[in-house]
Amino acid sequence: SDLEEVREVGRGGRGGESGPLGKLCGSLCCSMFGVMLYFGALFLVAHNETSTVCVQRALHSSRQLYEEVDCSGTALGDSSAPLYLSCPIADSSMPGRSPADFGANWLEGAFWEKAVKVRQEVSMLQCVEKKHTERKKEGDRTVEIDRWTYSMEWSSSMKDS
């Protein structure tokens, strides 16, 4: 379903037009903004590359230094080195999860999962309002036409309509 509203926002005159100096000033401002944007992007790329190299060096050095720990829990060498645990997780040590763990007691029996980590995603079907505004010139006056459309959509957060 759609809803429409029309209102007048201006009448006559040379609305928004400027002389040659105004156009020159606007183009110079855009050029300066472009130059600043270029150097800003250059700085961010350099920062990203430096950060990536540092992380890669840290990962490479830890791969060469780690010590594997067997399932009995005893380390085989120097205890100051990073440790790598190579044992499977016992099924009996994992907690079971149900809807009650997420505060939904009324859904008891919907699921039961044994896992290291469980995440619940909830969404709801709701009416969503969208506003579209169009400016139109009708003779010597300018009007704005607002249109609202409504649709049913699934969302994980409440939409204020």
Side-chain angles (χ1 to χ4, degrees), residues 95-98 101-102 111 113-120:
R97 302 286 181 197
S98 70
D101 295 319
F102 297 101
F111 66 87
E113 291 293 326
K114 281 187 121 183
V116 175
K117 180 180 178 182
V118 177
R119 181 177 68 170
Q120 181 181 22

Side-chain angles (χ1 to χ4, degrees), residues 19-93:
L21 287 178
K23 291 179 183 177
L24 178 65
C25 181
S27 63
L28 287 175
C29 287
C30 286
S31 298
M32 291 303 295
F33 178 71
V35 168
M36 289 188 310
L37 196 62
Y38 171 77
F39 285 110
L42 196 61
F43 171 76
L44 289 174
V45 166
H47 173 70
N48 186 39
E49 291 297 321
T50 304
S51 174
T52 301
V53 167
C54 289
V55 168
Q56 288 301 318
R57 283 183 184 162
L59 286 173
H60 181 68
S61 67
S62 67
R63 282 187 195 116
Q64 293 176 340
L65 295 175
Y66 78 87
E67 179 181 350
E68 189 169 345
V69 176
D70 61 5
C71 291
S72 67
T74 57
L76 304 174
D78 183 20
S79 63
S80 65
L83 300 176
Y84 172 69
L85 304 173
S86 60
C87 296
I89 298 174
D91 192 43
S92 61
S93 69

Side-chain angles (χ1 to χ4, degrees), residues 10-17 137 139-142:
R11 182 177 279 277
R14 297 177 48 180
E17 294 180 21
K137 192 132 174 96
D140 67 337
R141 66 185 198 137
T142 304

